[in-house]
């Protein structure tokens, strides 16, 4: 099942490596990864094409334990969106 993690974290040089490390510890390779500094916080989205609910719950709990993470949630993925609400896939300019 497609899953989308939405993570809000404090800006620090170690934020992204620590968050990615949570996924790497479980040998999970994301289909999409996006990070943006928005309103003074990192807004991070990590998407998976096939991730079981139990693994998603464990990873979400681990993300909550991370020092620099303010919040984390995992949802069933719909249309991927970037962290500030825009569509993650670029749209073609009208000619």
């Amino acid at each position: 099942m497609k899953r989308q993690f939405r993570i809000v974290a404090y800006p620090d040089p170690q934020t992204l490596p620590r968050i990615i490390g949570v996924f790497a510890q479980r040998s999970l390779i994301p289909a999409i990864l996006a990070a943006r500094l928005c309103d003074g916080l990192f807004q991070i989205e990590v998407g998976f094409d096939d991730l079981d609910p139990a693994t998603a719950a464990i990873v979400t709990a681990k993300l909550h334990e991370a020092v620099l993470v303010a919040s984390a949630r995992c949802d069933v993925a719909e249309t991927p969106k970037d962290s500030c609400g825009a569509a993650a896939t670029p749209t073609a300019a009208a000619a």
Side-chain angles (χ1 to χ4, degrees):
M1 179 175 292
K2 291 187 179 195
R3 304 255 177 208
Q4 188 83 15
F5 289 87
R6 290 182 175 87
I7 305 154
V8 177
Y10 298 100
D12 182 273
Q14 288 298 312
T15 298
L16 294 174
R18 287 182 183 192
I19 289 172
I20 292 169
V22 172
F23 297 102
Q25 289 171 350
R26 294 196 160 27
S27 299
L28 298 173
I29 300 171
I32 186 168
L33 174 66
R36 175 177 284 180
L37 191 60
C38 188
D39 296 328
L41 294 170
F42 272 129
Q43 306 287 326
I44 304 160
E45 292 194 7
V46 185
F48 293 88
D49 289 336
D50 188 22
L51 188 64
D52 64 274
T55 301
I58 291 168
V59 171
T60 302
K62 290 289 187 186
L63 288 168
H64 280 285
E65 295 172 0
V67 175
L68 297 168
V69 173
S71 68
R73 73 176 205 236
C74 182
D75 300 315
V76 174
E78 296 172 9
T79 303
K81 294 185 183 257
D82 75 14
S83 56
C84 291
T89 53
T91 55

